[in-house]
Every structure is written in structure tokens, then in C-alpha cells.
Amino acid sequence: MDRIAQLTTRPAGREIAYDPAAAPPSLQVRAAQVLEGNWTGRSTVPSRGLYPHQWSWDSAFIAIGLRHLSPLRAQTELETLLAAQWGDGRIPHIVFNPSVPLDAYFPSPDFWRSSAAGRAAGAPRTVQTSGIVQPPVHALAVWLVHLADPGLSRARGFLRRAYPRLAAWHRYLVARRDLGGGGLVSVVHPWEQGMDNSPCWDRPLSRVTPAPARSFRRADLDHGAPEDRPTDLDYGRYVRLAADYRDGGYADGQGEFAVEDPAFNALLIASERALARIAGELGASGRERAARAERLTAALVERLWDPAAGMFLCRDVRAGEPIPERGVSGLIPLLLPGLPRDLAATLVRTVCGPHFGLGGTTRLVPSYDLLGEAFDAHRYWRGPAWFNTNWLLERGLRLHGERGRADALRKGILHTAGASGFAEYVDPYTAQACGTTGFGWTAALALDLLHDRPSGDRNGLTAIKGGDRG
């Protein structure tokens, strides 16, 4: 029987005269029920109402949790996403479900027009996707899913089939997205970085003329409170950037928005290390990938580390200068085992200091500087705490020897995930649920934390670090 079915089905029993009230379902059962409810047969939607398609980095995080319930389903999740890869190597940030009405989500397939506008870039003809990307956490997810059941993975040829697609994905990023010429990958749209509405984007976005409000209809406001979502002005700029990218045939390097982001590049580095391990499992050398991870780490430190801020900052490629905003993205490189020790120690102090408040004023790390002028405890990525970024930071703290802080953050993530109904994100002070509930990666990453005990190798990063010698 499928592990999810085992968790969500109550065994039949004989009726008895006195039946005390049943205990409430455990956090594990409730999380499994969320993933079961969001499963479409080949992939998992982030939420049934607000996000009714497959999202790229959502599926990677979901697979990391799903592997504890059904390694086969976790493999299928990632294989479905990889099957929508473009010929130039990019993995699109949305794979559209053709059975979902066009007006259920915007921008819809008829906006992106991937098979036509993306023909020169090798967009698939049989499935509709967006034309932008999301953070490259996929190789890390593939490796962790393999570790959940190596026998099944080998029998199905999971790594053998995934590896060339992942290699092409990384090759696209390194070859086509080094728009600043310094060895780091740039994002060309805020949606690509995943932290869509961060104040870190305000300065570069201010150069973008917004699309007229009458030219599009926001479906997100049908499912979320306006005060939790991006403003119409910001959304108009997102639409303009996406339309210009589409109308340019999804060619890179021509748009007004290009930003080197620390989290995006840190996840690429972590996934390069994972690819080194995958190569070793397949009988090849991982030295080249380990060397690339080291080069990327050096470039990350050289270009984005800001000693005065005590963290990494985004860099506006078009303006040629750092963006002076403290977003959670600048803390995510803590998950890298190759990070210099003094920088890791500084990041820990910043996480726990007044700008992010972990262990003091906040139980979870907020998405933006608590002291920043643009801080908003409820608005999308402008202050609320998100579960995927906190999961990454829990790993980073543990990796760099901060066991007590990691244990406290793990406890906070699990408690808040359950108490909020697996919310999309929460107020960092009160833990009030924001956005939608029954959110896919919140449930999946809670499962991952429940499954792995704090004393063990929690995330495969120790194994990936060992892969540097491959």
C-alpha cells in the first residue's frame, strides 16, 4: 500500500459501546493529507486554488518531503518537471495543466505563448510552459530523492535519465545568464528568483514602465487578501518585463532587469555539489562540478558579500552596483559547506541580530529586514516568514555547527506549520497565516523535518561536501 494511503486511511474496527474521542491527526498525517490533496497524478500543485499548475522550485521542495512517503511519487514529480525542459536547457518556472481553465491563473498559457515565442529557444511543442525560470534546487532534490530508495532509483534509471537534463540546465545558467560578466548567474525577472515581491527589486524595477492595468486581470486576488499580495503597480511591472522577454523570443541579456541574487547562486552551487555526487553514483568523475562549485562560491563572495551589512546583497547588473536592502536571500548562502568560516559566523550573527531577530523577536526568519523602511509583516515577500527559506537556513545553521539554534528553528517551523494549517507564509511576529493554506512545500518540508532527527545528516549537505573530492 502507498505510504500516503497508510497515513491517511483509518483502519476499520468493530463498534464498541464506549468510544473515546479520537486523537487529532498527527502533524505527519495532516502534512501527508495536504500532499495527497494537491497531487494531480503526475505532479503536485502548490495549492488547488491559488496555484493550480506545477511550479519549478515548488516541485523540488515538495519532492524532498514526498520522498519520505513515496519515493516513486517523488521521482515522478521531478521527472514530470524535467520532461518540460526547453531545448536550450532552461527548466520553465511553470508547467501548465491543460485541464485548468485559462482564467484560473494569470499569466496563463496564452500570455506566455511558449511553443511559438520560444521556438528558437527549443520550447516543447506538446506542453505549454512559462518562459522564465526559478532557482536551481533541482539537482539537490534529485540526489536526496535517490538517497531515499537507492534500489528503486537504480532499477528505474532515475539518476541516469535525470543527469543529462540537470547538466543541460546548469549549462544554460552558466553560459547564458552570466550577464554581469563576473561568473555569477543573473535573474531577468523577479519571479525567477522566487521571492517575487521583495523590496530588493524595488530599485531595478523602478526603471520599468508598468503594463496598463486594463491589459491584464489578476487572478491571485480571487484567492488572497489584497494587503497580502503585490500592489497593482508592481504587478504591472512584472507583466511588462515578462511580455518584453516573450516578445524578444525569450533571448537573454536584452531586458531592463538583470540582478545577481545570492540565494539563486547559492542554490546553484549546492546543486553543482549534488551533481558531483550523482556523477559519482553513475561511475563518472565529479571533479569538474566540484571545481565549478568552488569557482561560483569565490565569485559569490567577491561580488555579493557586504561586510558592513554582515550578509550578501543583490547586485543590480544594469546599474553596476549593489542593492542596499537586506533580504532573506542574502542569508541563504549559509547552506554552503564551502563558505569561509568567518563569513558563516557573521551570517549567524546577522540572522540572530536586530534585522532578522531569530531567537529573539521572531521564531522564524522573516523574508526582509525588520528595520527596513519597506518592511510589511503581511505583504508577499516584504516581511512575512516563508517555510522554504527557513528550512534552508535550518540546514545552514546545523551544517556550520549551530546545533542549538538549528534545533530551535526546526521546532519553530514544525509548530508554525501545523498551527497555521500549512500556510503559504506567516507574520514573523505573530505567526498568523497569510496567503493560502494547505500549501505544498510547507507540508513537504515539515515532513522532511519530522522524518530526519536533529542528530543525523539532515539534508545530504555533508554527503555533498564529501563529493567535492569526487
Side-chain angles (χ1 to χ4, degrees), residues 111-182:
F111 172 88
W112 295 103
R113 303 197 293 271
S114 60
S115 58
R119 184 179 296 115
R125 296 183 179 181
T126 57
V127 62
Q128 293 296 309
T129 75
S130 65
I132 60 175
V133 302
Q134 276 192 321
V137 69
H138 311 90
L140 177 59
V142 165
W143 177 243
L144 295 180
V145 168
H146 164 77
L147 292 179
D149 192 338
L152 175 67
S153 175
R154 293 175 186 130
R156 297 187 67 249
F158 175 58
L159 294 184
R160 175 177 52 77
R161 288 181 288 109
Y163 182 83
R165 290 185 176 274
L166 295 168
W169 167 221
H170 287 204
R171 189 162 54 248
Y172 163 78
L173 291 172
V174 172
R176 302 284 293 277
R177 289 298 191 90
D178 182 9
L179 304 181

Side-chain angles (χ1 to χ4, degrees), residues 42-58:
R42 295 291 300 174
S43 64
T44 309
V45 298
S47 73
R48 283 290 181 180
L50 185 54
Y51 306 105
H53 302 285
Q54 183 180 24
W55 261 258
S56 173
W57 75 327
D58 290 76

Side-chain angles (χ1 to χ4, degrees), residues 252-268:
D252 294 310
Q254 302 174 6
E256 298 176 82
F257 185 98
V259 174
E260 293 172 349
D261 173 74
F264 195 101
N265 282 278
L267 290 170
L268 176 60

Side-chain angles (χ1 to χ4, degrees), residues 168-221:
W169 167 221
H170 287 204
R171 189 162 54 248
Y172 163 78
L173 291 172
V174 172
R176 302 284 293 277
R177 289 298 191 90
D178 182 9
L179 304 181
L184 293 183
V185 172
S186 293
V187 295
V188 300
H189 195 291
W191 290 339
E192 291 199 312
Q193 195 269 354
M195 304 176 192
D196 308 5
N197 197 38
S198 170
C200 296
W201 316 136
D202 289 355
R203 182 174 292 191
L205 274 178
S206 67
R207 298 191 296 266
V208 178
T209 301
R214 63 183 181 278
S215 66
F216 61 91
R217 178 188 174 277
R218 295 179 58 178
D220 63 317
L221 297 181

Side-chain angles (χ1 to χ4, degrees), residues 90-104:
R90 80 182 74 193
I91 296 175
H93 100 294
I94 303 176
V95 181
F96 290 106
N97 183 343
S99 68
V100 174
L102 287 178
D103 61 358

